[in-house]
Amino acid sequence: MGKAVTGAGDAECELVCFPHAGGSAAYWQPLAVALAPAVDVVAVQYPGRLDRLREAPVEDLHLLADLITEALGPPERVPRVLLGHSMGASLAYEVAVRLARQPGGEPHLLVVSGRRGPAAARGRSRDQPVGDAELVERIRRLGGTDAPVFDDPDLLEMVLPALRGDYRALASYEATPGRPLSCPVVALAGDRDPEAPVEEARTWGEQTSGDFRTQVFEGGHFFLNDHAGDVVDLIRGLLPTRSGRPERTTGLWHRPPSARNL
């Protein structure tokens, strides 16, 4: 699939970010700005939204993970870290599994946010919203940054196909089983998140033979929005640098983030 890349030549790490269901690469813009220039933040743009609006959404997370993995290729010059929120966490995991099958391809770290681990999800019934009204209401209850879109009929008409496709993909998704990773995994969780209770987020540790930790924040499903500064500090502290120490930055760099249409 196509790529549009604006890389940071002096970056010490590549951070690949996966949006939530219905979300776009733009969700990760504040993180990209905060971490520049030490970190090259690459946001995945799924088909069916923004500059890929005319493309049909991919309604199979395994197929989408295959396409993203192919487009990413192996890390070229710096360590690679994957970060995903909600549906994006499942995609980040599946891409990490596929990269790990390639010599030297496994990411340095996987960060999953707002998503129960595969062991907790296994065997659960996955209810798919029966209509657009129910789908919109579910998204409103979760309180994401995209919620204002649903008050504009024209914008709503544009985003609904991607939302429908993402939820169909989630309804049929079964995670790759076993303990396929050896890289460290960090699970971020909101203490009042109905979609991924803390105890269920902790089951992500079963997917790796490497180190695992959980970081809990106050809030619901989109706790990332309420704790943006703390999340930036946490992510910065997790990322590898040439010095081996967290990279501290002051102010904001107004460099647009990298973007890849994957």
Side-chain angles (χ1 to χ4, degrees), residues 1-261:
M1 304 179 73
K3 299 182 184 180
V5 184
T6 308
D10 56 351
E12 300 185 3
C13 172
E14 179 187 57
L15 176 63
V16 183
C17 298
F18 298 75
H20 51 281
S24 71
Y27 180 76
W28 300 108
Q29 169 83 11
L31 182 65
V33 171
L35 292 177
V39 180
D40 185 14
V41 177
V42 176
V44 178
Q45 188 77 288
Y46 309 139
R49 56 218 81 197
L50 294 184
D51 55 317
R52 307 190 71 183
L53 191 62
R54 296 182 183 276
E55 300 179 44
V58 177
E59 299 183 1
D60 182 323
L61 291 192
H62 285 282
L63 173 58
L64 187 54
D66 289 341
L67 295 169
I68 293 171
T69 303
E70 180 181 1
L72 278 176
E76 295 179 358
R77 53 185 178 80
V78 294
R80 173 181 284 161
V81 173
L82 306 186
L83 163 64
H85 181 70
S86 194
M87 182 187 83
S90 293
L91 267 172
Y93 165 69
E94 294 296 342
V95 171
V97 170
R98 287 154 174 77
L99 289 172
R101 296 169 182 160
Q102 305 172 9
E106 185 169 21
H108 181 88
L109 171 71
L110 170 65
V111 183
V112 288
S113 170
R115 188 75 168 158
R116 58 173 56 94
R122 197 168 297 121
R124 298 172 65 107
S125 61
R126 289 181 291 276
D127 58 323
Q128 182 179 331
V130 297
D132 290 346
E134 183 181 340
L135 178 57
V136 168
E137 180 56 30
R138 176 175 294 191
I139 301 300
R140 285 186 187 276
R141 287 199 305 267
L142 293 177
T145 54
D146 301 319
V149 169
F150 303 127
D151 296 323
D152 185 317
D154 293 332
L155 289 177
L156 179 60
E157 189 65 26
M158 292 172 62
V159 302
L160 271 175
L163 270 175
R164 295 186 197 111
D166 289 350
Y167 271 85
R168 290 189 190 109
L170 286 168
S172 61
Y173 170 65
E174 291 283 355
T176 297
R179 196 181 294 268
L181 301 177
S182 60
C183 65
V185 175
V186 176
L188 312 183
D191 63 0
R192 299 189 304 278
D193 184 357
E195 297 290 304
V198 173
E199 289 305 314
E200 297 187 354
R202 288 195 174 112
T203 64
W204 277 106
E206 299 181 25
Q207 308 309 120
T208 184
S209 59
D211 293 336
F212 174 73
R213 60 175 285 197
T214 306
Q215 182 70 41
V216 181
F217 294 85
E218 292 184 359
H221 190 58
F222 283 95
F223 61 87
L224 294 180
N225 302 341
D226 300 327
H227 301 280
D230 292 335
V231 170
V232 167
D233 287 343
L234 174 66
I235 297 299
R236 183 184 289 125
L238 292 171
L239 297 178
T241 65
R242 294 189 186 98
S243 66
R245 297 190 300 271
E247 178 71 22
R248 292 292 175 185
T249 58
T250 56
L252 296 179
W253 284 261
H254 297 288
R255 180 182 69 86
S258 301
R260 294 187 185 181
N261 289 336

